[in-house]
Amino acid sequence: MERPDWAPPGIDITMPSVARMYDHYLGGSHNFEADREAARKAMEFMPGLPKITQANRAFMRRAVRFCVDEGVTQFLDIGSGIPTFGNVHEVAQRADSAARIVYVDHDPVAVAHSRTVLEDNDQAAAAYADLRKPRDILGSSEVGSLLDLDRPVALLLVAILHFVEDAYDPYAAVAELRDALPPGSLIAVTHASYEGIPVPQEQADGTVGVYKDIRNPLIMRSRAEIARFFEGYDMVEPGLVPMPHWRADTELAEEDPWSFSGFAGVGRKR
C-alpha cells in the first residue's frame, strides 16, 4: 500500500481509524484504503452512515452559531477529527472574528492536518490528547494559550462519546471537563443510538461489529443514558432530540430518514 506524503511518520496506514472513516463518509480525501474498506463494510449494514455524519456536521454548525449568539466565543472541540469544509473555526469566526477554538483529537493524522489548516490562524490550534484523559486536555499548551477558563466556554463533543466504552467511564471524563468550566458555559453533544435508526437493531449490530473488529467499539446508548452527560447543565430548547430537530434551519420533510438516527442536544451550566 503506497504511503501518502501527508501521512505523519509512524502511522500504521493498514489500521482503520474512526476519524478517517468519518472523513471518508463526508467525502474527504485524508483517509487510507484500510479506512475506506472498513467504512464500506459498516455501510453494508447501515447504508445511511454518510447521511448520519452529514446530520452531525449540520447540527455542529447550528450549535456553534447558537453559542456565538449567546455570547460564548471560546470553543473546545474534542474528537474534532479531520478538518472539512464548514469546520468550527470557520463557522465561529465568521460569526465573530474574535472567536477562539482549540481542536482536540488522538488521531495523529487529524491533528497534523488540523495544524496545517490552522497555520495562519492565531486564534485556533489543535492539540494531541485523548478525551479519556481530561487533565491532559485542560493542561495542554493549546488550551492554556488560547482559552480563558474563567470565561464561558463551549465544549463540543460531537460524534465522540459513542466511541468511549463504559470501562473508561466517559461520564466521569465529561464531568471533569464540565466542572472545569465556569457558569454560562455550554456543552453540545451528539451520540449514536439504536433509537431512530431506520433498520432493525439486528442489522445495525452488523455495523457495531465492524467497529468492534477494528478495536474502536461503537457504543449505542439510550436517550436516557445520553442525557446523563448533561448533568449539572440545563438543557437548551428543544432538549435532547434527533439531530435534524435541534433548531432546524431547513424543512424536515426534506431530511433523509437516516439523519434522525441518534440524538443531539445543548446544555448551559447553571
Side-chain angles (χ1 to χ4, degrees):
M1 186 182 298
E2 186 175 350
R3 188 180 190 86
D5 292 338
W6 49 263
I11 296 299
D12 182 357
I13 65 174
T14 67
M15 177 58 66
S17 152
V18 295
R20 299 192 299 268
M21 290 171 67
Y22 193 90
D23 179 65
H24 175 66
Y25 295 141
L26 288 171
S29 59
H30 283 77
N31 49 76
F32 308 130
E33 179 54 32
D35 306 308
R36 296 188 287 273
E37 177 61 22
R40 287 191 290 267
K41 289 180 179 177
M43 289 171 61
E44 290 177 9
F45 304 98
M46 291 176 58
L49 281 168
K51 291 295 183 182
I52 296 174
T53 58
Q54 290 166 20
N56 263 286
R57 298 287 298 180
F59 163 79
M60 178 274 289
R61 290 191 287 268
R62 297 195 303 275
V64 168
R65 289 194 295 267
F66 170 80
C67 292
V68 175
D69 288 345
E70 293 293 300
V72 179
T73 57
Q74 300 188 104
F75 294 86
L76 181 57
D77 183 3
I78 301 177
S80 51
I82 295 169
T84 57
F85 175 75
N87 229 44
V88 173
H89 71 279
E90 294 173 324
V91 178
Q93 292 176 346
R94 188 178 302 121
D96 188 323
S97 60
R100 293 173 175 263
I101 301 92
V102 173
Y103 294 111
V104 178
D105 208 292
H106 73 335
D107 185 309
V109 171
V111 176
H113 191 50
S114 296
R115 287 174 174 169
T116 299
V117 169
L118 300 171
E119 276 181 342
D120 298 323
N121 192 328
D122 61 5
Q123 293 176 187
Y128 180 69
D130 193 317
L131 171 60
R132 296 171 295 184
K133 299 179 179 179
R135 291 183 186 179
D136 290 353
I137 295 172
L138 296 169
S140 68
S141 60
E142 292 82 5
V143 168
S145 62
L146 278 179
L147 303 185
D148 178 357
L149 299 186
D150 291 326
R151 294 175 47 238
V153 173
L155 173 62
L156 307 182
L157 298 168
V158 177
I160 178 63
L161 290 169
H162 47 235
F163 291 115
V164 184
E165 297 175 85
D166 288 340
Y168 292 106
D169 200 350
Y171 295 105
V174 173
E176 187 168 345
L177 292 165
R178 289 192 320 248
D179 292 348
L181 304 181
S185 293
L186 298 164
I187 180 173
V189 171
T190 66
H191 199 297
S193 177
Y194 287 116
E195 299 174 46
I197 292 179
V199 294
Q201 179 174 330
E202 293 75 14
Q203 181 174 333
D205 279 339
T207 292
V208 172
V210 171
Y211 280 93
K212 184 177 180 180
D213 288 343
I214 65 170
R215 292 179 286 183
N216 281 282
L218 175 61
I219 312 302
M220 307 291 265
R221 295 188 172 96
S222 68
R223 185 179 183 278
E225 289 171 325
I226 299 166
R228 287 180 54 198
F229 289 113
F230 292 90
E231 288 179 0
Y233 282 51
D234 295 322
M235 294 298 299
V236 170
E237 289 294 333
L240 187 59
V241 294
M243 291 178 287
H245 283 293
W246 199 88
R247 301 186 176 232
D249 52 15
T250 59
E251 289 292 331
L252 293 183
E254 299 175 3
E255 291 286 345
D256 187 282
W258 282 96
S259 300
F260 296 89
S261 306
F263 292 98
V266 173
R268 180 184 284 107
K269 189 168 185 177
R270 301 165 190 158

